[in-house]
Amino acid sequence: MANDINKKSKRFSIYIYIELISSILFSLFTFSYHPDISLIALPVAIGFTAITVYFCFFRVLLKKDATRIPVILRLTQYIPFVFLFCFVIRRAGKYGVPYWYDVVTVLLWCIVFIFSLVLSHCMNEKRILKITEDWNIPYTKKKKLTGAKWFLFEIVDWIDALAQAVFMVLLVQIFLLQLYVIPSESMVPTFLVKDRVVVTKLDCGPKFPLTDIGLNDFAKYKRGNIVVVRNPHYKIDRKSEIKTVTSQLVYMLTFMAVNLNTDEYGNMKYDPLVKRICGVPGEQLVMQDGVLYRRTKDTDVFEPVQEDAKFACWDLSTLNSSILPKVETFPLAGVQPNKSGSNLSTVVKAASANYQTMLDFEEKRRNYDLESAAFRAKELVRTVKNLSYGQNNKGNFTAPDSINELDLFMNQPYAEMANKIMSSADAISWFENFMTSWISSKDKNRDIYSESNFRLNVMTKMYYGELVARCVHLYRSGSTSDDISNDYAINDILEEVQILDWYIRGLLDSRNMPVFPANNQAGEAQYIPKDCYFMMGDNRFNSLDFRHSAEEFEAALTADDPLSVTYTSQMEPHYVNKRLIIGKPSYRFLPANRRGTIQPR
């Protein structure tokens, strides 16, 4: 019996020695000579290690004194968390560390963590009584406290338990599971705002913060999978990562009530994102009129992706009646639900009507006759030339600063152009070039997206030309600006322009996507590379996703017209490597009435 106790005591001592040696080595690896935040890591690690060595070695092992067992229990329980803090801080500076350095430090931390758990197990009251039975001062059971001491002890014990629980949850969140609150409606109806879900991370290759050290990604991703992915729109560097880790800790400490994950402007960061995989390696994609098409190296023909049609939600008015009242924004409706939801039926009807208007417009664009448009464009040019007084007048004309679609129609710029055409040959020349610059390309073979935008460009120009020609006619007949504003023909054209403008500015970049990845300069098809994926939200009109850039920019509607109409765009499709995928939503735990596993629709 005594021999067995002696063996247990020796094993316990060996465990402590391993813990201490690993801690000392880890502390040395937190050394930094760079004048930044990384300097904090070494003194914190050395300080905590020195305290641990003092109590574990000098006060307990050397003297065989078990009265300090509760102290070393707390020290060994907290040392992995303190070291994790030091690990992050050491890598949060301006300069990183070599890969081998990360590997060694991670291994040392893992040893510290494992033996922290082993020692905590050994220092259970029943076990430590036996381990220290033959020590100079064996461990004795705690005396029951009473009064103020009992109250103070309970408070400290609760704080200790809560702190350890938070740190353990943080470790679990980094490596195993993460709690995630849905921030937006980009995945309606699969997820609603403030849905709380559990995200599994183990098979997605979780990594130590600020390093590439971790488990391999052995998850199998396919089209239709919902994943949690880092937002590539944000800069991912050491500075942002330490803020992310810090915000995760605060998020846990405040029970998901405080989120410090903000950008440089103080706005909440939409990072990570929940999106659905829509494109997989080896595919080239294009989306037109809400239909996603794909092709591979085995075929030159784009074919509709049938699975995507099951997930894409374009018309929110068709949602289940149990979901409709919970939707906050209907992008196609002119009015949004009020807080009481009393106007919901009006909103739904407006959304449904506008959806049909969009479908009718897309049908009109598809059937738009380019031959007739080319003939009409030339007729409009001849008309304004015949009505102009200034066919021989040069100068005094400056081309418009912008041919943005909105600038061609807002505040009657067509009337101003008509006025200039009446007295300037240069204005007539510009108008002729603008109206006919597309004609030489009208019969060119284009992909479905490029052809669609080419037609939008022509339609925009034709509306503009009709307005200019009508204004020239009215000016020639002595009409005033007020007459132009009230002219029935102009107002009829503007009603159609309003739908065109609504589609280009509000729907074009959400409803469509150019060929992606784009063909190379030789016209050869390019494909999504290995281990990379393209993702979108289900609520396609309310999702800033992997089709888009984070910033707006001016873009030409078509490359086949040197004087193409432009529009304000965010179209910049991109894929991400699977290393940015951090997990898969597996279970919705709130709200209670929608609790359950996450299933594809």
Side-chain angles (χ1 to χ4, degrees), residues 1 63 109 202 212 256 366 383 398 407 549 576 588:
M1 182 70 176
K63 297 182 178 181
W109 184 89
L202 186 61
D212 291 324
M256 304 170 70
R366 285 192 293 269
T383 298
T398 302
D407 293 334
S549 165
V576 295
R588 180 191 294 108

Side-chain angles (χ1 to χ4, degrees), residues 499-545:
I499 298 175
L500 173 77
D501 172 68
W502 172 65
Y503 188 87
I504 292 177
R505 288 200 297 134
L507 308 180
L508 179 58
D509 281 3
S510 296
R511 186 73 169 158
N512 313 287
M513 182 182 73
V515 171
F516 172 75
N519 296 340
N520 63 18
Q521 291 184 347
E524 298 169 336
Q526 304 297 298
Y527 304 96
I528 298 174
K530 181 182 178 182
D531 293 334
C532 294
Y533 298 87
F534 171 74
M535 305 170 195
M536 290 188 284
D538 288 351
N539 187 5
R540 298 285 161 85
F541 283 132
N542 196 5
S543 177
L544 185 66
D545 51 43

Side-chain angles (χ1 to χ4, degrees), residues 8 106 135 146 163 176 182 187 200 214 218 222 245 253 261 349 395 397 438 450 519 538 563 571 586:
K8 289 182 179 179
V106 167
W135 283 22
T146 58
L176 300 177
I182 304 299
M187 285 296 290
T200 57
F218 54 87
K222 60 182 182 179
V245 173
L253 286 169
N261 197 19
K349 287 179 181 178
F397 172 76
W438 59 271
S450 299
N519 296 340
D538 288 351
L563 289 176
M571 182 60 70
S586 59

Side-chain angles (χ1 to χ4, degrees), residues 20-213:
L20 295 180
I21 292 171
S22 301
S23 298
I24 292 169
L25 292 174
F26 180 93
S27 298
L28 296 176
F29 270 84
T30 62
F31 172 78
S32 173
Y33 55 85
H34 301 296
D36 54 32
I37 193 173
S38 62
L39 287 175
I40 298 173
L42 181 63
V44 173
I46 289 291
F48 200 87
T49 299
I51 294 171
T52 305
V53 169
Y54 172 75
F55 279 100
C56 290
F57 181 71
F58 292 103
R59 295 302 300 270
V60 175
L61 291 186
L62 279 185
K63 297 182 178 181
K64 293 292 183 179
D65 180 0
T67 57
R68 299 297 181 181
I69 289 295
V71 177
I72 69 171
L73 173 61
R74 292 295 179 266
L75 289 171
T76 55
Q77 286 176 336
Y78 277 99
I79 200 166
F81 307 127
V82 174
F83 282 0
L84 184 61
F85 167 80
C86 296
F87 183 91
V88 172
I89 291 297
R90 172 62 184 87
R91 283 147 186 80
K94 185 177 180 181
Y95 303 96
V97 298
Y99 182 80
W100 70 266
Y101 202 97
D102 275 338
V103 172
V104 174
T105 315
V106 167
L107 288 174
L108 288 171
W109 184 89
C110 289
I111 294 171
V112 170
F113 179 66
I114 291 170
F115 280 90
S116 170
L117 297 177
V118 171
L119 287 170
S120 295
H121 175 76
C122 292
M123 283 184 276
N124 174 275
E125 190 169 70
K126 289 182 179 180
R127 296 184 183 89
I128 201 67
L129 283 170
K130 294 181 180 179
I131 291 172
T132 63
E133 192 173 322
D134 62 347
W135 283 22
N136 296 333
I137 305 177
Y139 183 80
T140 57
K141 290 185 178 181
K142 300 174 185 176
K143 295 180 180 179
K144 290 186 178 182
L145 300 175
T146 58
K149 289 184 177 180
W150 172 86
F151 182 73
L152 181 62
F153 175 82
E154 287 296 317
I155 291 177
V156 172
D157 197 49
W158 272 101
I159 293 174
D160 171 63
L162 180 61
Q164 290 197 48
V166 167
F167 283 118
M168 286 303 296
V169 168
L170 182 62
L171 287 179
V172 169
Q173 180 167 291
I174 292 174
F175 298 108
L176 300 177
L177 301 171
Q178 180 175 350
L179 303 182
Y180 184 80
V181 181
I182 304 299
S184 71
E185 293 193 313
S186 66
M187 285 296 290
V188 168
T190 306
F191 294 119
L192 301 176
V193 174
K194 296 184 180 179
D195 278 2
R196 283 166 163 76
V197 298
V198 176
V199 177
T200 57
K201 305 178 75 172
L202 186 61
D203 63 340
C204 296
K207 308 295 185 210
F208 271 76
L210 305 178
T211 76
D212 291 324
I213 310 300

Side-chain angles (χ1 to χ4, degrees), residues 364-377:
K364 178 180 180 180
R365 185 212 64 232
R366 285 192 293 269
N367 296 328
Y368 194 72
D369 190 339
L370 294 179
E371 289 291 342
S372 298
F375 179 81
R376 181 59 181 163

Side-chain angles (χ1 to χ4, degrees), residues 239-250:
K239 184 177 179 180
S240 65
E241 288 299 271
I242 188 172
K243 188 172 184 179
T244 297
V245 173
T246 303
S247 69
Q248 287 177 341
L249 178 58
V250 173

